[in-house]
Structures are given as C-alpha cells and as structure tokens.
Amino acid sequence: MGSGDKLTIIPLGGLGEIGKNMIAIKYGQEIIVIGCGIMYPEDEMLGIDVVIPDVTYLLENRDLVRAIFLTHGHEDHIGALPYVLGQLSVPVYGTKLTLALAENKLREQGREDLADFVTVKPRDVVRLGSFQVEFIRVCHSLPDSVALAIHTPVGTIVHTGDFKFDQTPVDGNPVDYYRLAQIGEAGVLALLADSTNAERSGFTLSEQAAVAKLEHVFHQAAGRIVVTTFPSSLYRIQQVFSVAARFGRKVAVVGKAIQEVVQVAQANGYLHIPPGTLIEGDQWGGIPRERLVLLTTGHQGEPLSALTRGPWSDARLNNFQPGDTVVISASPLAGNEKLVSRTIDGLCRLGADVYHENDANHISGHASQEELKLMLNLIKPTFFIPVQGAYRMLVRHAKIAMETGVPKENIFVLDNGLPLELSSKKASLLSKVAAGRVLVDGFGVGDVGNIVLRDRRQLSQDGILIVVVTINKESGQVVAGPDMVSRGFVYVREAEPLMEDAKIRVKQSLEKTGERRVTEWAAIKTNVRDILSKFLYEKTRRRPMILPIIMEV
Amino acid sequence: MGSGDKLTIIPLGGLGEIGKNMIAIKYGQEIIVIGCGIMYPEDEMLGIDVVIPDVTYLLENRDLVRAIFLTHGHEDHIGALPYVLGQLSVPVYGTKLTLALAENKLREQGREDLADFVTVKPRDVVRLGSFQVEFIRVCHSLPDSVALAIHTPVGTIVHTGDFKFDQTPVDGNPVDYYRLAQIGEAGVLALLADSTNAERSGFTLSEQAAVAKLEHVFHQAAGRIVVTTFPSSLYRIQQVFSVAARFGRKVAVVGKAIQEVVQVAQANGYLHIPPGTLIEGDQWGGIPRERLVLLTTGHQGEPLSALTRGPWSDARLNNFQPGDTVVISASPLAGNEKLVSRTIDGLCRLGADVYHENDANHISGHASQEELKLMLNLIKPTFFIPVQGAYRMLVRHAKIAMETGVPKENIFVLDNGLPLELSSKKASLLSKVAAGRVLVDGFGVGDVGNIVLRDRRQLSQDGILIVVVTINKESGQVVAGPDMVSRGFVYVREAEPLMEDAKIRVKQSLEKTGERRVTEWAAIKTNVRDILSKFLYEKTRRRPMILPIIMEV
C-alpha cells in the first residue's frame, strides 16, 4: 500500500444506542472489526428476541475483512457472533475468558463449527497486514477485559472497550496505566472511548464496594438468601461465593445462563469457588434455609425474570418465607424499572426482606466523568470519537473531551454508518454506508420489518376483527356469512348486541354491492373495512384491525 | 348510633400501587369516601386507557355513602369522578381549585350534570352525620391542597392527602403546622399518610428550587425555549410564566390538557400571568425565536409525548434548530424512562440543548423520609396506616413510623379491600371486600378482562394466522380454501413458500376429516390449530395465534 492510503473508521453499531457494538477500521485494502454485539429489543419492537448490527458493509467488502477483535465477553460485544460468523468466515481474536464466553454463545446456537479463535494475552501484539493490534488490560465488571491500540501507518487508534479505572479490582489486576500512558506519550491519532456513563459525575465505585453490602446482608439474614444478578457480572458472582463461604453458607446456582457462565469461568480459572461451597446441580432441597444461598439470574440476562410470575419464573425460587432475604445485585435495564418495582413489591408481600441497588449507589462497570477525563489525559489523542452510548451520552462525552483540551473541531460525534476518514492531520466525513438494526425473531433474522411491527402494534392495542363472507363467483351473491370473529377487541359474549349490529351493517353494504364482479373485491373489502371501522369507533372508541376475507365458491 | 359502633377504614385503591387513590371510612350506618382517582395502565395492560377503582363495595352500600372528599386536584385523586359519580350520586367536597379541576374532568367526558360540588376552605369543618371533617392546608406541587382530620365518636382520623413540608412555597402558604400540632396534641386515633417518597431519604426540595434552574436555562438560551411539564404541576407552570416575563419572553401554551389547566387556574385566581406574557391561542408564529417560550405537555399527562414522533407529536413544536433549548421539567413516570431517553436523544440529534431532571435533583411534590417523620411527630397517632404507594413503600413507611415510636403492633400495612376496624384502643382486620382494578378502554368500562388482554399479548408477540375454509354442509367436502391470511407474523411476500407449505398441511388434514359431520367441526378446528402451530414453531420458532374459521354453504 502506498503512503497515500487513508485510514477510515466505520461505526456499524453502538453509536446512538446502547448495545450491538461494532466498529470497522479500514486501511488500504484491509478491514478489521472491533466487537460483534447484540442489543435487546426496544419496547416498540414487539415480539423481537434480539437485535444485531446490519453487516451489509462487511459482506460487500468480505474479501477485505481480516479479523474480528473482541475487548471482553459481554453480550453487547460478542452476542452477534453466531449470526455474523455464519456469513463471514474470519478469525476472532480475544483473551482467554472472552473467547471461552464467545464459544459458549456459538454452542448455544449449535454453531461451534464457526469458531476460528485466536487467544491473546494483555500486551500481546497481533500483526495483521498493515495493522498491529495491541491488547491492553483494563478493568470492567468481569476479568480479562482489554482496550485495543491499533497501530497503523497513518497513526495509532485506541479503542477503550468497556472500562473503568478500578483502583482495587477484585482479581488484583488494575488497568495497565503504563502502556496507556506510554502509547499516549508516543502519540495517538484517535481515541474511541466508552460513553456509557458520560452523564455520571465523579468516579465509579470499585467492584470491591459490593463486598461490604453483601456482608451487611449476610449478617442480617435469618433465612434463605437469594442473590440475583446479571450472568455477565462475574466479579459479583465471585464475591457471592467468597462471602457465602465466610458465613458458612452453601451456594446453589439456579438458571441455565448463569450456570453456563459459572462453569466456563471456573473451568478457565477465572472464578475461585471455596471448596464445599458450591451445591452441584439441584441438590439444594435438603440444605437448611439459614445455610443456603441461591444465586440466580433470568431470561435474556434480566436478573429478575426468575423471580416473577411470568413464563420464566422458577417455582422453587418463589416459595419465599418471612425471614428470607433477596438481594437484587444489579441495576434494572432501561425500560425494566416497572418490572423491578413490581417484583420487589411481590417479594415484600411474601414477607421477604429485599435489598436492591438504586441508581445512586449502583456499582457500574463503566467509567464515570472523572475517569473518562483520566483516559483522555493518558491517551492525549489528536482526534476524539465517543462510542458506545445513546446519542446524548456521546454529546456529553464530546463536551468532556473539550474540557480536557481536545479542540472542538477534532471531536466527531458519529453515527452508525457514518465513516470518518483520517490522515495524520485531517479528519473528514465520508458518505454513509449501510448500517442499522436487524431484528431477530425466532429463526427469522431480518424478516420482521416495519409492516409486521406496525401490525403487531395495532393488534396489541385493540385486537382484531375478522369478517368472512363466501360469495358465489358467478352470481356475486353472498352464499354464506358474513361471519365475524374477534380476538383482543371485546369479550365477545358480552358484546353480542354490538357484533350483531355490526353484522347487519356489513350485510347491507354487501347487498348494495351484490352485483359487482370479482375484480371489484378489493373495493368491496375497503368498503367493509371503512364501514366497520367507523361504526366500531363510534360505539366503542376503539380501533381494532379489521380484516375482511372473501371466499369464492 | 350507640357507643358500641365501630369505625372501619376500607382501602379501595392506592395501597400496593401508585394511583387510583380511594379510601372509605365507615362509622355505624354512614360512609364517607376520600379520593376518587385513576391510575395509568401498566405495560401489560395493552390498549387500556386508564384504570379506575372497583367501587362494588360502595355500590352495595349506596344508601350509606354520604359524600366524597377530595384532598387536591390531581388525576390520581379526582380522575375517576366521571365514572363513579355516574353510578353513585353523592356530593363532593373540596377546595376551590380542586373542584374547578374536578369540574374540568367531568366536562371532558361530557358529564357536567354529575357535579354536586361543595366548596370549602382550609380550617372549615363539615358536619355530616357522625363525622366532622376538617380541612387543613398542606403543601404539594399545586395550590389548595389539604389534609383531612375526620373527627368521629371513636376518635380522630388524619389523612394527609399528598403533601410535603415546603418551607418556602411558591404561593407563600406553608403547611398549617398549628392545626396539625393541635390535633395531634388532642389525640389522634389513626394517621393515614402519603407513602410516595418513603424510600427517599432527607427532605424534599422546595418548589422554589426550580426557579434557579429555570433562570440558569433562560440565561444560556439563544433560541426558542420549550418547557415540558405535567399539567398538574401548577407551581412549575407559574414559575415558567414568572421567569419568562423577567427575561422578556412571551409564553405560548401548547396542548389541550395544559391549556385547560392554565385556563381553569387563571380563572380561579391560582395562576398569575404577568400582563403581556401569555400568547393567546396559536398566535406564536410571528414571535422571534429568542423571545419565545413554548409551554407544553402531552398525551395522558406524559410531558414528552408532544415531542416524540408518535401519534401525539406536534409538528410545530418539532421544528428544532441548533440553539433551541428544551427543558424537561418533570421526572419520567415509571416505565417511561426509555421514551424519555429516546426523546432526549432525538432532540440532541436536532441540535437542541436539553435540560432534564434526573432522579437525584428531581423536585418532588411528596414528603421524603424526614418529612414523614415530622408528620408522625406532629400527629402522634395511636395507630398508623401507610397509604398511597407501592407495597414496598408502605412497608418502608411502616418502618419509619416505628422509628418515630409508633409500636409495631399498632402499624397496619393494609391492602386494597382489606378493612381495618378501630376502637379507641384496639384495631382488628376484617374479612376482605371487593376491590380491584377496572380497566377503561375507549367507552368500555370493565369490559376488557383477562382473556382480551391475554389475546392482545399473544397478538403483540407473534401476530395472527387466519385459516378459512368453506365446507359443503351436506357432503362435508371442502368447496373453497383453505385460504390463509396473516398479520404481524411474517412479511407474507417473503414467506410464500412457508405459507404454501402450511396450506398443504391443512389440506391434508381436512381431507382426512372430510367425511365428518358438522358437529365435529370443533375437533377439526382444534386439529388444524395443532398441526399449524407445531409446523410453524418448527420452521420459525414463533407462536402466532392461529384462528381457523369454517364457513358452511
């Protein structure tokens, strides 16, 4: 490649949203990708399981893509691997725990065959064409997290991954300040940094702060203790085992997702369970309540779902007695506040003592404002690009960068699909590439679009009314019906007069149009829909979906 | 009535939930009711507009009900009047502003005819049979809020209404400490107190604290300022007008709900708009952006809905320009955090500066823990009953009462429908009465039950597939169909092979059952449903509602 080759940063996910992190970096005819995450669906994405990045850009440039680099083992950074690797066969680089968790993801989907994994350690440097990718230890809520320093002919790009500056990390491994400072001193072209907590002032609490809270709870608890957390909060899981052992309690792990993480982490040496503390399998029936800890999580990583009444509840967890204690060791995912609130209420009604984190004392895995400034001051980048956060967080992070002295014109709040081209002195925006959200519903990847979602929304609000008539195709006469069936609209037994009245109106309208031909059925349907829609809105102030079906005999 | 008559407190709403506050108090053959509020629907109540209390108990005892007493003019205390007064014709007592807002509620539903209103002032005492009901001024987020002291032959009951101890209230009217203390000193049988902020430590900020924030924003703002708040936050509305006038800006009020509240409050002397500050009607097109304030709210009291893209958006509000400022002067309703977050993101993308309250500095209208203790120490009740809050808040409030010296055995965390009978020395629980939630959807009050909601839930997740066949009623032969129509399941044009395949399976199943009689159609439908359900789950991992319809000719 000539010295005129440009370096381009192409965000494919995680900008202006929380999750599905993915950034492509292109130099000459080579592309590397950082992260391959999922996002959980937003409220209006009814029925959707997960959301993955649109990788059209990578598929269109499939010959250029050299590798995917992972910074750590959380869903929003590794969860889309089973989908993406199925379309794009490239090696994946990451630390030992990260790759063990990534392998677990592939196994869940029955796609272990896709794993072409290369294990690295902090301070390792991978040479791949023009790129030299260095792994630098950072702290987060699970071990083996790294930032990336990507050395290119144009300059060095630092991507922080998810990070916090934990001064007393649970595993004793602090951030590699020396390498970050050294790389910063040598000169960094651009910093891409985690914006999750850009709105939070001060410093994030150390993961160690959770120990004191757990000890307090264990001192107070008379009966069973249930601790619910994210399966991804591996340090928290470690602390539950350690504290339980000190208090002479045994721990049962309940729920598939957390069992798998515990197994993977233990097998790889990242979780140290004191001997005799873990109860294997479901053998916790005989343990006295005052000796028992249940460590649990729930569906889709939502810590509370196992404790609720829904399809994901676990009856064995839910036989609470007064004196039992529940620790919700996780802050609610955005949008789940009501679920959390209702669940805590339900537990209180059962007589359980409930300890839950509120926003104020939540121990986050992400750097707060003062730590973001520290990162900026260590790296001293020429250009700054906030990543990993809702748009307002990126904007806030940009302001923080300005406060540390990065010139305003060198800060770029990008968006998914909006590439930034860098030379050693200049940055310029390129035109947009494909990027967006691909919705996964069951086996369907990307087949649920706006029309299907719009229909689900309408159905969810006022239900559906189906009108069926059978018409003789020669005469155009109605030979059966109209029959009406509704679901989610009104409770039919109580609404019979309404439905009879509606039927009469449809009949009248069909009689008027009885002479029309088959080619005009679309118009007949529209007519039936309009008449019923107006009538039902007048009578009920509801707008069910109305679906006329004409059968011909 | 003999001296042996008992006093009974019957909670009909607001215990174990946020909203639809209603408490009945019975002595001998007389009942009075405090509050008549609505609640906004929870997430899983798809398509529901509002939730009102189940007043079966009051209707069964209609001859005993003497009056409804209102503490202040918020939806969760007055919103159900149009529904309840339609079934129960009783006078309603309240202060001037409260009744003006209540009248507005009736007018909205076209039911002004139901108003039998009696206006009272703080320190007034209403004698009604054995009850003497006294109105005592408290502070809240709107003027004219009162607590009630209900003097009965058994003893005095104090109900706080919604309150805070604002030491610098916007209208200069602090809590009537003297009457509260005097009533407390004379002896109070039971205190029923607002638990909304029982989980919040310290004191709630004065409403005055919002002024400094507004002034800061007005100092910074170059362009248009949009302030969005709850229509119920009348003090906040007052402050926006006052600050705008000081900064030489004019205020347009946008949105029906807030326009009505402004009109009612101004007409009754509770809102003082500096001359020349209010822009009448929609005449704000010609005002320069730097002189303009838009004061807005949205659908169902959700301050943000006017600023979102949905059906409740207002195009004239949404032409933001860089330099414009948005002040979200309200904390999000529980469950709306995501909407708020998305809206702020959208505004940031448009270049607006956004100021929003986070939990930490939110100016609430409700007493925090130290204020709850102050109320308990003023009233010194024999019995304590926390009201108005989710169950965990009631439990927390009970603990606070214990800290102030109320004996544990004198504290009762009740539930809707669970009556407590009081004598001067003893309290005992009675058996449950009817109480619960009545869902309002359009004109339908209580006609949407669990089946309809369950159907809406299923429809919202995976949509519906309708299978229609026409069968000859003599021969049992299929003469038309099966036809299939789906909505919200898959995008049909892309799923044709799947649908064709499904159709073949239905046909095969119908051929097998072709000889059966009409009486067996239920079995045929079940069979079709089972076959399709299994087939579609195997192919798609989705579970649409399957609705077979058989037409006979």
Side-chain angles (χ1 to χ4, degrees):
Chain A
M1 49 255 115
S3 61
D5 275 331
K6 299 284 179 47
L7 186 70
T8 312
I9 292 163
I10 308 118
L12 295 174
L15 277 80
E17 62 190 7
I18 315 254
K20 71 178 184 60
N21 295 293
M22 176 177 264
I23 287 177
I25 297 182
K26 180 166 180 277
Y27 176 78
Q29 293 301 300
E30 296 166 319
I31 292 173
I32 59 171
V33 179
I34 304 168
C36 190
I38 57 153
M39 185 169 81
Y40 290 112
E42 304 200 340
D43 291 350
E44 74 278 10
M45 299 180 188
L46 294 167
I48 297 301
D49 301 329
V50 297
V51 184
I52 60 173
D54 179 346
V55 293
T56 304
Y57 174 82
L58 298 180
L59 298 180
E60 284 173 359
N61 294 281
R62 61 166 67 244
D63 294 341
L64 312 187
V65 183
R66 306 295 295 261
I68 296 174
F69 290 86
L70 304 176
T71 55
H72 63 288
H74 280 166
E75 293 275 6
D76 53 339
H77 292 260
I78 68 169
L81 283 173
Y83 307 99
V84 172
L85 292 180
Q87 304 173 77
L88 193 72
S89 182
V90 294
V92 177
Y93 292 80
T95 54
K96 188 173 164 194
L97 177 63
T98 303
L99 291 181
L101 291 167
E103 198 175 10
N104 191 43
K105 280 286 117 195
L106 294 180
R107 196 161 42 235
E108 272 175 19
Q109 308 266 333
R111 298 308 304 268
E112 301 96 314
D113 59 301
L114 298 174
D116 174 8
F117 286 175
V118 185
T119 307
V120 296
K121 293 189 307 295
R123 295 210 181 176
D124 278 0
V125 178
V126 171
R127 285 161 202 274
L128 211 65
S130 313
F131 296 105
Q132 294 184 30
V133 182
E134 181 178 354
F135 301 83
I136 304 159
R137 183 182 298 288
V138 293
C139 295
H140 187 38
S141 57
L142 87 175
D144 242 11
S145 300
V146 291
L148 304 176
I150 301 150
H151 308 286
T152 78
V154 180
T156 297
I157 309 289
V158 173
H159 186 296
T160 64
D162 285 7
F163 80 101
K164 68 194 278 192
F165 286 111
D166 195 332
Q167 306 303 340
T168 52
V170 174
D171 62 4
N173 289 315
V175 170
D176 189 348
Y177 297 97
Y178 170 73
R179 271 310 285 159
L180 288 178
Q182 196 180 38
I183 289 165
E185 186 70 12
V188 168
L189 181 62
L191 172 65
L192 284 64
D194 177 12
S195 308
T196 309
N197 276 348
E199 295 186 307
R200 257 171 91 155
S201 60
F203 283 87
T204 300
L205 282 175
S206 167
E207 295 287 315
Q208 291 284 10
V211 170
K213 290 188 193 181
L214 281 174
E215 285 172 345
H216 172 72
V217 173
F218 275 67
H219 268 300
Q220 308 267 329
R224 197 175 67 159
I225 300 175
V226 176
V227 182
T228 176
T229 191
F230 294 105
S232 56
S233 300
L234 209 44
Y235 286 137
R236 205 64 59 88
I237 293 171
Q238 175 67 66
Q239 290 165 337
V240 171
F241 278 107
S242 305
V243 173
R246 288 214 294 283
F247 280 79
R249 286 187 183 245
K250 286 176 182 294
V251 180
V253 181
V254 184
K256 190 159 167 287
I258 194 165
Q259 278 168 349
E260 282 178 5
V261 167
V262 164
Q263 195 274 322
V264 167
Q266 201 186 8
N268 286 279
Y270 291 92
L271 183 66
H272 305 285
I273 302 180
T277 303
L278 179 66
I279 303 167
E280 296 293 337
D282 288 348
Q283 307 300 309
W284 43 281
I287 313 273
R289 291 179 98 82
E290 69 276 13
R291 300 285 308 279
L292 186 59
V293 176
L294 299 178
L295 178 62
T296 183
T297 185
H299 174 63
Q300 280 207 343
E302 172 46 52
L304 283 176
S305 61
L307 297 177
T308 53
R309 296 275 152 82
W312 312 107
S313 77
D314 187 318
R316 298 166 309 162
L317 285 177
N318 283 305
N319 62 346
F320 283 97
Q321 296 179 3
D324 284 353
T325 299
V326 180
V327 184
I328 299 168
S329 190
S331 68
L333 293 172
N336 278 349
E337 293 83 355
K338 264 190 167 172
L339 172 70
V340 171
S341 170
R342 223 169 30 232
T343 306
I344 295 172
D345 269 25
L347 295 169
C348 286
R349 278 175 198 274
L350 296 169
D353 286 320
V354 184
Y355 295 81
H356 62 107
E357 293 187 3
N358 57 33
D359 271 352
N361 63 15
H362 165 59
I363 301 165
S364 167
H366 301 270
S368 297
Q369 290 173 356
E370 295 308 310
E371 292 159 279
L372 297 175
K373 292 174 191 168
L374 175 53
M375 182 60 88
L376 281 152
N377 287 329
L378 285 167
I379 300 299
K380 302 181 283 189
T382 304
F383 296 103
F384 177 67
I385 301 157
V387 297
Q388 296 175 195
Y391 198 82
R392 66 178 195 282
M393 300 172 189
L394 305 182
V395 169
R396 189 63 191 266
H397 203 174
K399 283 188 186 151
I400 290 167
M402 272 183 259
E403 286 168 30
T404 64
V406 182
K408 191 176 177 181
E409 62 274 17
N410 283 11
I411 299 173
F412 291 85
V413 176
L414 299 180
D415 209 346
N416 294 335
L418 186 61
L420 184 73
E421 190 182 71
L422 294 173
S423 71
S424 57
K425 298 235 169 82
K426 226 182 91 208
S428 43
L429 294 171
L430 302 185
S431 53
K432 274 217 159 197
V433 304
R437 297 168 169 191
V438 174
L439 309 186
V440 179
D441 181 6
F443 286 156
V445 178
D447 68 335
V448 171
N450 287 335
I451 294 175
V452 172
L453 287 181
R454 191 201 58 198
D455 285 350
R456 287 183 186 172
R457 245 179 328 261
Q458 192 186 352
L459 290 167
S460 76
Q461 291 304 298
D462 287 321
I464 188 168
L465 179 76
I466 301 140
V467 190
V468 194
V469 282
T470 304
I471 291 185
N472 183 298
K473 64 184 139 189
E474 272 86 45
S475 68
Q477 295 295 315
V478 174
V479 292
D483 279 8
M484 285 196 194
V485 184
S486 82
R487 287 290 186 277
F489 168 46
V490 286
Y491 188 50
V492 180
R493 276 181 225 173
E494 285 172 8
E496 258 181 40
L498 177 76
M499 298 299 258
E500 280 308 311
D501 212 351
K503 217 178 263 184
I504 290 165
R505 272 149 212 268
V506 174
K507 260 189 194 148
Q508 287 168 345
S509 124
L510 288 171
E511 277 159 17
K512 277 189 217 148
T513 55
E515 295 307 306
R516 294 191 186 164
R517 282 154 308 161
V518 178
T519 49
E520 287 167 14
W521 285 7
I524 297 176
K525 282 186 187 178
T526 304
N527 194 30
V528 167
R529 197 179 287 125
D530 290 348
I531 286 168
L532 275 181
S533 177
K534 192 157 167 276
F535 171 72
L536 294 174
Y537 185 72
E538 266 169 21
K539 291 289 182 189
T540 68
R541 282 288 181 279
R542 299 181 198 170
R543 297 193 183 281
M545 180 182 285
I546 294 168
L547 199 61
I549 300 175
I550 299 179
M551 302 285 290
E552 50 174 276
V553 291
Chain B
M1 48 255 115
S3 61
D5 275 332
K6 299 284 178 49
L7 185 70
T8 312
I9 291 162
I10 308 118
L12 295 175
L15 277 79
E17 63 191 5
I18 314 254
K20 71 177 182 64
N21 296 292
M22 178 177 262
I23 288 176
I25 298 182
K26 180 166 181 276
Y27 176 77
Q29 293 302 301
E30 297 166 317
I31 292 173
I32 58 171
V33 179
I34 304 169
C36 190
I38 56 153
M39 184 168 82
Y40 289 112
E42 304 200 340
D43 291 351
E44 75 277 10
M45 299 180 189
L46 295 167
I48 297 302
D49 302 327
V50 297
V51 184
I52 60 173
D54 180 347
V55 293
T56 303
Y57 174 82
L58 298 180
L59 299 179
E60 285 173 357
N61 294 280
R62 59 166 68 243
D63 295 340
L64 312 187
V65 182
R66 306 294 296 261
I68 296 173
F69 291 86
L70 304 177
T71 55
H72 64 288
H74 279 165
E75 293 277 6
D76 53 339
H77 293 261
I78 69 169
L81 283 173
Y83 307 100
V84 172
L85 291 180
Q87 304 174 76
L88 193 71
S89 179
V90 294
V92 177
Y93 291 80
T95 55
K96 190 173 161 195
L97 178 63
T98 304
L99 291 182
L101 292 167
E103 200 174 7
N104 191 43
K105 279 287 118 197
L106 294 179
R107 197 161 40 236
E108 272 176 18
Q109 308 267 332
R111 296 309 304 269
E112 300 96 317
D113 59 300
L114 299 173
D116 175 7
F117 285 176
V118 185
T119 307
V120 296
K121 294 190 305 296
R123 294 213 181 174
D124 278 358
V125 179
V126 171
R127 284 161 204 274
L128 212 65
S130 314
F131 296 106
Q132 294 183 32
V133 182
E134 181 179 353
F135 301 83
I136 303 159
R137 184 183 298 288
V138 294
C139 295
H140 186 40
S141 57
L142 88 175
D144 241 12
S145 300
V146 292
L148 304 176
I150 300 151
H151 307 288
T152 78
V154 180
T156 298
I157 308 290
V158 173
H159 185 295
T160 64
D162 284 8
F163 80 102
K164 69 193 278 192
F165 286 111
D166 195 331
Q167 307 302 339
T168 54
V170 173
D171 61 5
N173 290 315
V175 170
D176 189 348
Y177 297 97
Y178 170 74
R179 271 310 286 160
L180 288 177
Q182 196 181 38
I183 290 166
E185 185 70 13
V188 168
L189 181 62
L191 172 65
L192 284 64
D194 177 12
S195 308
T196 309
N197 276 348
E199 295 185 307
R200 256 173 90 156
S201 60
F203 284 87
T204 300
L205 282 174
S206 167
E207 296 287 316
Q208 292 283 10
V211 170
K213 290 188 194 179
L214 281 174
E215 285 173 343
H216 172 72
V217 172
F218 274 67
H219 269 299
Q220 309 266 329
R224 198 176 65 161
I225 300 176
V226 176
V227 182
T228 178
T229 190
F230 293 106
S232 57
S233 300
L234 209 43
Y235 286 137
R236 206 62 61 87
I237 293 171
Q238 175 67 68
Q239 291 165 336
V240 171
F241 278 107
S242 305
V243 173
R246 288 212 294 284
F247 281 79
R249 286 188 183 244
K250 287 176 181 295
V251 180
V253 181
V254 185
K256 192 161 167 284
I258 194 165
Q259 278 169 349
E260 282 177 3
V261 167
V262 165
Q263 195 274 322
V264 167
Q266 201 186 6
N268 287 278
Y270 292 92
L271 184 65
H272 306 285
I273 302 180
T277 304
L278 179 66
I279 303 167
E280 296 295 336
D282 287 347
Q283 307 300 310
W284 44 279
I287 314 274
R289 291 179 99 81
E290 67 277 12
R291 300 284 308 280
L292 186 60
V293 176
L294 299 178
L295 179 61
T296 185
T297 183
H299 174 65
Q300 279 206 344
E302 172 45 54
L304 283 176
S305 60
L307 298 176
T308 52
R309 296 277 153 81
W312 311 108
S313 78
D314 187 319
R316 299 166 308 161
L317 285 177
N318 283 306
N319 62 344
F320 283 98
Q321 294 179 3
D324 286 353
T325 299
V326 180
V327 184
I328 299 169
S329 189
S331 67
L333 293 171
N336 279 349
E337 293 83 355
K338 264 189 170 173
L339 172 69
V340 172
S341 170
R342 220 168 32 232
T343 306
I344 295 172
D345 269 25
L347 295 169
C348 286
R349 279 175 197 273
L350 295 169
D353 286 322
V354 184
Y355 295 81
H356 62 107
E357 294 187 1
N358 56 35
D359 271 352
N361 64 15
H362 164 59
I363 300 167
S364 167
H366 300 271
S368 297
Q369 290 172 356
E370 295 308 311
E371 291 160 280
L372 297 175
K373 292 175 191 167
L374 175 53
M375 181 60 88
L376 281 152
N377 286 329
L378 285 166
I379 300 299
K380 301 181 285 188
T382 304
F383 296 101
F384 177 67
I385 302 157
V387 297
Q388 296 174 196
Y391 199 83
R392 66 178 194 282
M393 299 171 188
L394 305 182
V395 169
R396 190 60 191 269
H397 203 174
K399 282 188 188 154
I400 290 168
M402 272 184 259
E403 287 168 29
T404 65
V406 183
K408 190 175 178 182
E409 61 275 18
N410 284 10
I411 299 173
F412 290 85
V413 176
L414 300 180
D415 209 346
N416 293 335
L418 187 61
L420 183 73
E421 190 182 71
L422 294 173
S423 69
S424 58
K425 300 234 170 79
K426 226 181 94 208
S428 42
L429 294 171
L430 303 185
S431 52
K432 275 217 159 198
V433 304
R437 296 167 169 193
V438 174
L439 310 186
V440 178
D441 182 4
F443 287 156
V445 177
D447 69 335
V448 171
N450 287 335
I451 293 174
V452 172
L453 287 181
R454 190 201 57 199
D455 285 350
R456 287 183 186 172
R457 251 185 317 267
Q458 191 185 355
L459 290 167
S460 76
Q461 290 304 297
D462 287 321
I464 188 168
L465 179 76
I466 300 141
V467 190
V468 193
V469 282
T470 304
I471 292 187
N472 183 297
K473 62 183 141 191
E474 272 87 46
S475 69
Q477 293 295 316
V478 174
V479 292
D483 278 8
M484 284 195 195
V485 183
S486 81
R487 286 292 185 275
F489 168 47
V490 286
Y491 188 51
V492 179
R493 275 180 225 174
E494 285 173 10
E496 258 181 41
L498 177 75
M499 299 299 259
E500 281 308 310
D501 212 349
K503 216 178 265 184
I504 289 166
R505 272 150 214 267
V506 174
K507 260 191 195 144
Q508 287 169 346
S509 125
L510 288 171
E511 277 158 18
K512 278 188 216 148
T513 55
E515 296 306 308
R516 293 192 188 166
R517 283 155 308 158
V518 178
T519 50
E520 286 167 15
W521 283 6
I524 297 176
K525 282 185 185 178
T526 304
N527 193 31
V528 166
R529 196 180 287 125
D530 290 349
I531 285 167
L532 275 181
S533 176
K534 190 157 169 277
F535 171 72
L536 293 174
Y537 185 72
E538 265 169 21
K539 290 290 181 188
T540 67
R541 281 288 180 278
R542 299 180 198 171
R543 297 192 182 283
M545 180 183 286
I546 294 168
L547 199 61
I549 300 176
I550 300 180
M551 303 284 288
E552 50 174 276
V553 290

